[in-house]
Amino acid sequence: MVYDTVIIGGGMSALLCGIKLINAGQSVAIVSTGQSALHFNAGALSLFNHKNGKDVAHPLEAIAKLPPEHPYSKVGMESIIRLAPEVRKIFKDAGITLNGSEEKNHYRLTPTGMLKPVWLSMKDYAVTESFTDIPWGKVAIINIKGYVDFYPEFISAGLELAGLKSEIREITSPELDNLRKSSSEMRATTMARVITSEVVEKLAADVNKIVEETGADSVIMPAVIGLYDETPVDEMQQKTVCPVRYVSTMPMSLGGMRAQLRLRHHFKRLGGTYLLGDTVASGKIINGRLESVTTVNLGEMPLAGKNFILATGSFFSHGLEATASEIFEPVFRLDVNACGPRDEWYRENLYDSQAYMKFGVVTDSEFYVYKDGRRIENFRAIGAVLGGHDALKEGSGGGVASLTALKVAECIINEKENRHE
């Protein structure tokens, strides 16, 4: 099978890149082993949130001062400013509304009651523009009875620190009572599957009773509504007497699952090939070019392409792996920027900056990868597998994933257009 571009990895970075390429007329195949880091996303994307341990209000200003090896520096400020709005558009086309601006971070309420800066957030999530002046009034924190992956006490304590009063209540419905027979069934994704329009109406009626009893001005609930699209969320808001805001729960995250499902559906609807549950086993490199890859499921039937993109993620997604003496990219054995003995990879204090967080695949300014010091001319890398950034300390994971994806797609599109001139 021959494609214009073959993308290895099936998360957000791969899907955004694939969608942009298909919209430009390319044939694209994505090879995905299964769950990606996007499944655990908390309903928000971060561009650049922290510097020297402090929150960043204006991410573009901080990005402009990053060193040349950082992925953002390779994308370039002009491209970041131009491509950032495309992220919102692609998500919107896929059926997901993201709010926010790259000009200024806003704050989302975390499952532990903290307020963390973010770039973009799903429209139904609990967010505020101001850290100190939150316009929610008195809040009713409403959990689903028997649901243990949501922590109302933490959220209440966090709201109290922000100067807000709150009361904690519970609601349920017969449909959810059936799930409660087994604790393993009381999960966000499982509940979301049974919270249909009829159940939403019942829950909304109970929410309205609690609002009346408590005198609440707004409601916070766990994000357990709207697995496949935003329709149940809209229905809940239409049927309740005050704003209802959602907080991400412990993994699996409903917001992340919704994003993965909607982006994948959109990619396939546009004509993309998504090989779910398959793994690239090897690649055939001839004269400095990757000619084809073989997968576990396709066996002797290779996937050939004019361009290849590595989007396998970092350690979490096994895009990078480690032994006692080596950190490596496992599929192609591409060059990585890990160096020095093991005791230089990390610090014993968990909260210190860890060197291994910046380890990743070596690329040049155009994101071409290297093997044994030699560039592979038609093979690029995007997202968390890239070296040179610390997504955790910086709060840059969502931005690096999305903007490197769109930048590489743009490069491939421009190359094809230039060949046709």
Side-chain angles (χ1 to χ4, degrees), residues 87-107:
V87 178
R88 290 188 290 275
K89 183 180 185 306
I90 291 176
F91 270 87
K92 183 178 180 180
D93 291 343
I96 297 174
T97 305
L98 294 178
N99 296 318
S101 169
E102 51 277 4
E103 296 290 341
K104 184 179 180 181
N105 285 325
H106 59 281
Y107 294 88

Side-chain angles (χ1 to χ4, degrees), residues 306-324:
K306 298 174 184 176
N307 296 282
F308 292 84
I309 298 172
L310 187 71
T312 47
S314 188
F315 297 99
F316 179 81
S317 303
H318 301 290
L320 298 175
E321 294 188 2
T323 67

Side-chain angles (χ1 to χ4, degrees), residues 141-350:
I141 305 171
I142 303 177
N143 195 15
I144 305 297
K145 185 178 180 181
Y147 184 49
V148 298
D149 290 335
F150 180 68
Y151 307 105
E153 292 80 7
F154 286 172
I155 294 172
S156 178
L159 294 180
E160 184 177 353
L161 289 174
L164 299 182
K165 295 181 179 180
S166 64
E167 287 193 35
I168 298 172
R169 297 293 183 91
E170 287 185 333
I171 57 175
T172 188
S173 73
E175 293 81 2
L176 294 172
D177 288 338
N178 291 331
L179 296 180
R180 200 170 294 110
K181 295 175 182 178
S182 170
S183 60
S184 64
E185 295 297 320
M186 289 297 289
R187 296 290 182 262
T189 52
T190 309
M191 286 190 286
R193 290 187 176 96
V194 303
I195 301 179
T196 60
S197 295
E198 182 179 345
V199 179
V200 166
E201 187 167 357
K202 297 176 185 177
L203 296 178
D206 288 339
V207 167
N208 288 338
K209 289 180 182 178
I210 291 173
V211 169
E212 182 178 358
E213 292 170 0
T214 61
D217 301 296
S218 59
V219 168
I220 286 177
M221 293 181 63
V224 296
I225 298 175
L227 174 59
Y228 301 109
D229 56 44
E230 297 174 349
T231 302
V233 175
D234 294 336
E235 290 177 346
M236 175 65 82
Q237 193 59 73
Q238 292 165 6
K239 296 178 185 298
T240 49
V241 296
C242 68
V244 178
R245 300 177 174 91
Y246 299 90
V247 172
S248 180
T249 64
M250 294 295 102
M252 304 283 281
S253 160
L254 191 75
M257 289 286 289
R258 185 196 303 166
Q260 180 75 30
L261 291 171
R262 296 305 306 174
L263 287 172
R264 188 173 74 195
H265 173 75
H266 185 48
F267 173 76
K268 293 170 69 175
R269 182 171 58 84
L270 291 173
T273 300
Y274 195 93
L275 303 175
L276 180 62
D278 204 353
T279 303
V280 170
S282 63
K284 186 177 182 180
I285 300 175
I286 301 176
N287 296 326
R289 294 180 64 84
L290 181 57
E291 299 293 334
S292 63
V293 296
T294 58
T295 75
V296 173
N297 291 348
L298 294 177
E300 296 181 359
M301 185 184 300
L303 290 173
K306 298 174 184 176
N307 296 282
F308 292 84
I309 298 172
L310 187 71
T312 47
S314 188
F315 297 99
F316 179 81
S317 303
H318 301 290
L320 298 175
E321 294 188 2
T323 67
S325 60
E326 180 186 18
I327 291 177
F328 59 96
E329 186 281 314
V331 180
F332 304 92
R333 286 285 178 160
L334 300 174
D335 295 351
V336 298
N337 65 341
C339 60
R342 181 183 179 86
D343 60 5
E344 294 182 5
W345 299 349
Y346 66 94
R347 294 183 180 179
E348 292 185 1
N349 187 336
L350 180 64

